[in-house]
Amino acid sequence: MPWIFLSVAILFEVAGITSMKLSRGFAELLPSIGVFVFYICSAAAIILALRRIELSVAYAIWSGVGTALTAMIGFAYFREPFTLVKLASLALVVAGVVGLSFASKTID
């Protein structure tokens, strides 16, 4: 169950950051409200996930996967440029998440 909470937290966090972009600096009402709602839901879900998942692992996965998904939304929906530097940087984020996950499992 904690991994489900972490997954839900990631999705709400990505929805929150996407709403920030869509709010156009809080000029659009619905996306502006969405920012707060999605981040509150994300915080609640990650708090529940942290009951059973180590902080370093949960935060690395939450921020790393959230970063990767947000970047993909930027490329696909907002037509942000996709470069090799961005691709390599995302690969390093993923490598860091995987490394922390493995380090956590070897300690137990």
Side-chain angles (χ1 to χ4, degrees), residues 10-104:
I10 292 166
L11 294 176
F12 277 126
E13 190 265 336
V14 171
I17 195 70
T18 303
S19 294
M20 274 188 201
K21 177 73 171 175
L22 294 171
S23 77
R24 296 186 309 127
F26 294 114
E28 300 291 332
L29 181 61
L30 287 179
S32 298
I33 293 169
V35 170
F36 296 101
V37 170
F38 291 134
Y39 272 105
I40 288 169
C41 292
S42 179
I46 198 154
I47 287 167
L48 293 172
L50 286 171
R51 291 168 142 180
R52 303 285 302 216
I53 302 172
E54 292 179 6
L55 175 64
S56 61
V57 173
Y59 187 72
I61 293 170
W62 180 77
S63 61
V65 173
T67 298
L69 288 174
T70 301
M72 287 188 268
I73 289 170
F75 302 141
Y77 185 78
F78 296 110
R79 310 245 190 264
E80 294 175 359
F82 183 79
T83 65
L84 287 177
V85 172
K86 287 182 181 181
L87 179 63
S89 299
L90 286 171
L92 289 171
V93 168
V94 170
V97 169
V98 170
L100 277 172
S101 296
F102 280 132
S104 168

